[in-house]
Amino acid sequence: MERLIIIGSGPAGLTAAIYAARANLAPLVFAGYQYGGQLMLTTEVENYPGFPNGIMGPELMETFRAQAERFGAKIENVDVVKVDFTKRSLRVWTDDREYQAESVIVATGASARWLGIPGEERLRGQGVSSCATCDGAFFRDRRIVVVGGGDSAMEEALFLTRFGSKVTVVHRRDALRASKIMAERAMNHSKIEFIWNAAVEEVKGEFKVESLVVRDLSSGTSFELEADAMFVAIGHDPNTAIFRDQLELDKQGYLVSRDGVRTAIEGVFVAGDVYDHRYRQAVTAAGMGCKASMEAEKYLEAREAERAMTLTG
Ligand code: NAP
C-alpha cells in the first residue's frame, strides 16, 4: 500500500512529489512514458521565476525531477492505464501491475490538439508536427507554416525562424490571442508573415508535406499554399480519458474541483492543467502541485489519527 501516488510528471506532478517527499511520504510518481509534461516540448522558458536568463523547458523539468528524487520520490516512467477510486484503497493500474494507495494526486496535464483534417495524421512525422523544438531542425531553409494565434503559435513561429526560409502563420481570425509581447515579436520579425481569417483544410503530399489547402474564411475560396512543414499550435485537451467514469469532468473534459485542490472522492486531489484551463502556466501548475501535496499530507495525517483513536478506543 502506497501512502501517495502521483500521476503525472509535469511541473504540477513533480512539485507535488518534491513536497510529499520532503514530508517523508515517499510518493510513487507515475511519470508516463513521455515524462516531464509539455515543457519537454518547448524551447526557452522566459517567465519561470528564478531564471532571469531563461531556461530550456526540458532542462527545467530535469531539475524538478532531480529535486524530487533527492528527497526520496520514487519515479517510474510508465503510463497509468486504469484507476478505480470507488473503494478504499484507491487502485491504480499500469500495463503490468496493480497498485493500491491511500491518496492520489492527479496531475496528468493536457496534450496538443490537432486540426483533424485530411492528410494531417498520415503525414505526422513527415512534415506535420506539434513540436517545433523536436522537429524544427529538419526544415532548414524550407517553407514552414504554423497554425494558431495564441502564445504557443507565436513561440513556435519565432523559434522556427532559426530554420525556415520563411514562416507563415495561418490564423482563423484577424486578431491574435497571444500576449502582446509575443504578438509584437512575431509581427515585427522579418521572416514571419501572416495569413489572417484562414483555415488549413487539407495537407497534401505523398510521402511528405508538399502543400496545404487553405480556405480564406472571408471570401470562402480555397487556395493552395506550398509548404514543407505544418506545425499545429491550437491549444490542448486534458488527459482525462482514464478518469472518465471515476471523477467528475466538465464539458471540455477537464477535471472538476470545488476548491481547485480536492475532487469529490476523498483522498483524490488534482493539480495543474488537467484541471486548470484558465492559467495553464508552469508556475501556476507548480503552485497547485504544492497545494495538492500539502492537502494530501493533511488528509493522511487525519486518517492516521483516526486509526490510532480507533485502536486505542
Ligand atoms: P490558446 O491560447 O488557447 O490559443 C490557441 C489558438 O489556436 C487560438 O488562437 C485559437 O484561435 C486557435 N485555434 C483553436 N482551435 C483551432 C482550430 N480548430 N483551428 C484553427 N485554430 C484554432 O493556446 P496556446 O497558445 O497553446 O496557449 C495556452 C496557454 O499557455 C495560454 O495561457 C498561453 O498564454 C500559455 N503559453 C504561454 C507562453 C509564454 O508565455 N511564453 C508560451 C506558450 C503558451 P482563436 O484565437 O480564434 O480562439
Side-chain angles (χ1 to χ4, degrees):
M1 170 78 87
E2 302 291 336
R3 300 185 75 195
L4 172 64
I5 284 179
I6 297 168
I7 312 175
S9 58
L14 289 179
T15 301
I18 292 166
Y19 274 76
R22 288 192 78 248
N24 272 342
L25 297 178
L28 172 59
V29 182
F30 290 118
Y33 293 115
Q34 289 178 312
Y35 76 90
Q38 292 172 58
L39 284 190
M40 298 301 275
L41 307 179
T42 62
T43 47
E44 199 163 0
V45 180
E46 290 182 327
N47 51 11
Y48 200 87
F51 298 93
N53 301 318
I55 182 168
M56 297 306 279
E59 195 186 338
L60 180 59
M61 292 325 297
E62 291 302 339
T63 62
F64 271 66
R65 185 174 174 132
Q67 197 171 350
E69 283 176 331
R70 176 181 158 207
F71 295 111
K74 302 164 280 178
I75 303 183
E76 307 261 352
N77 287 354
V78 294
D79 285 344
V80 168
V81 295
K82 192 175 119 179
V83 297
D84 184 352
F85 296 154
T86 57
K87 300 187 233 25
R88 302 258 131 221
S89 332
L90 305 165
R91 291 188 296 160
V92 169
W93 284 263
T94 62
D95 271 331
D96 55 1
R97 264 193 73 179
E98 178 188 333
Y99 295 81
Q100 301 199 2
E102 287 181 75
S103 63
V104 170
I105 294 175
V106 177
T108 47
S111 300
R113 202 180 279 157
W114 296 96
L115 292 166
I117 53 171
E120 182 183 48
E121 203 177 330
R122 182 172 57 81
L123 292 168
R124 220 179 274 173
Q126 318 298 327
V128 175
S129 171
S130 70
C131 174
T133 340
C134 321
D135 302 326
F138 297 127
F139 301 100
R140 230 167 257 284
D141 300 322
R142 300 289 169 82
R143 297 152 305 181
I144 300 174
V145 168
V146 174
V147 183
D151 278 328
S152 299
M154 296 312 108
E155 195 175 65
E156 301 265 284
L158 285 160
F159 176 71
L160 288 164
T161 57
R162 299 183 195 188
F163 309 106
S165 53
K166 188 166 82 177
V167 178
T168 304
V169 176
V170 177
H171 182 39
R172 64 184 180 183
R173 291 189 295 132
D174 62 359
L176 294 173
R177 178 174 299 279
S179 56
K180 214 167 164 212
I181 183 168
M182 297 293 281
E184 274 173 9
R185 271 188 214 165
M187 306 248 268
N188 292 333
H189 200 289
S190 59
K191 269 195 185 177
I192 300 180
E193 64 177 35
F194 288 82
I195 300 181
W196 304 102
N197 297 309
V200 180
E201 285 189 323
E202 187 182 347
V203 188
K204 284 183 147 180
E206 199 173 345
F207 302 111
K208 57 184 185 57
V209 174
E210 284 163 15
S211 68
L212 308 176
V213 179
V214 180
R215 178 175 291 271
D216 178 333
L217 297 171
S218 323
S219 66
T221 54
S222 295
F223 59 94
E224 204 157 323
L225 178 68
E226 286 189 0
D228 302 291
M230 175 179 81
F231 287 82
V232 180
I234 60 166
H236 295 84
D237 289 316
N239 298 319
T240 48
I242 57 169
F243 307 109
R244 216 166 270 153
D245 326 320
Q246 301 288 324
L247 296 171
E248 191 186 344
L249 307 181
D250 70 11
K251 269 193 266 159
Q252 282 119 42
Y254 287 87
L255 287 185
V256 171
S257 164
R258 278 170 289 119
D259 57 1
V261 187
R262 269 166 274 259
T263 67
I265 308 262
E266 255 201 17
V268 180
F269 303 88
V270 294
D273 288 13
V274 70
Y275 158 78
D276 168 33
H277 40 87
R278 184 174 168 88
Y279 298 105
R280 297 184 292 189
Q281 302 297 303
V283 67
T284 50
M288 291 177 69
C290 160
K291 286 203 267 183
S293 187
M294 291 175 81
E295 290 303 332
E297 187 189 343
K298 266 197 218 146
Y299 167 78
L300 291 168
E301 264 171 21
R303 258 171 73 91
E304 263 148 48
E306 239 171 66
R307 244 181 263 144
M309 292 268 278
T310 324
L311 285 175
T312 52

